[in-house]
Amino acid sequence: DGGGGTSYKGTDACATSASTQDVVYAITPTATGTLTVMAYPSSTYDIQLYARAGSCTTGTQIGCVDGVGAGEPETMQVPVTAGTKVSLFVDGKNGSAGPYQLSLHLE
């Protein structure tokens, strides 16, 4: 559910989510490549995705996507390095929240 956790704030297009609690996933890839993240929100959930290299609180933002409206899937691709942690944020635009499915693929 997109309404759990702490309220973080992305940058650029993902800066509109400061009032919404995030779900943060810590991912440590086993290979260097491109991580593709696909999120499928419920019909009323306007989902945002963003990623930071390293820490969820101090890491540098390496990806952000907020291209569609409520109920529409979002896809984000970010470069990753084997053994280096990435913090993946699932957030809601302007307070939006709800259930979602998440898919990750490393190439």
Side-chain angles (χ1 to χ4, degrees), residues 59-78:
T60 302
Q61 186 169 301
I62 57 173
C64 165
V65 65
D66 178 30
V68 296
E72 297 295 322
E74 291 279 9
T75 301
M76 176 179 67
Q77 294 185 315
V78 293

Side-chain angles (χ1 to χ4, degrees), residues 25-53:
Y25 298 90
I27 301 164
T28 304
T30 57
T32 297
T34 301
L35 179 66
T36 300
V37 181
M38 294 164 282
Y40 305 91
S42 65
S43 62
T44 59
Y45 186 11
D46 192 354
I47 203 166
Q48 291 181 330
L49 299 173
Y50 62 100
R52 291 182 182 158

Side-chain angles (χ1 to χ4, degrees), residues 8 17 20-22 45-48 50 89-93:
Y8 293 104
S17 60
T20 309
Q21 294 180 334
D22 301 39
Y45 186 11
D46 192 354
I47 203 166
Q48 291 181 330
Y50 62 100
F89 296 76
V90 177
D91 208 349
K93 184 173 186 174

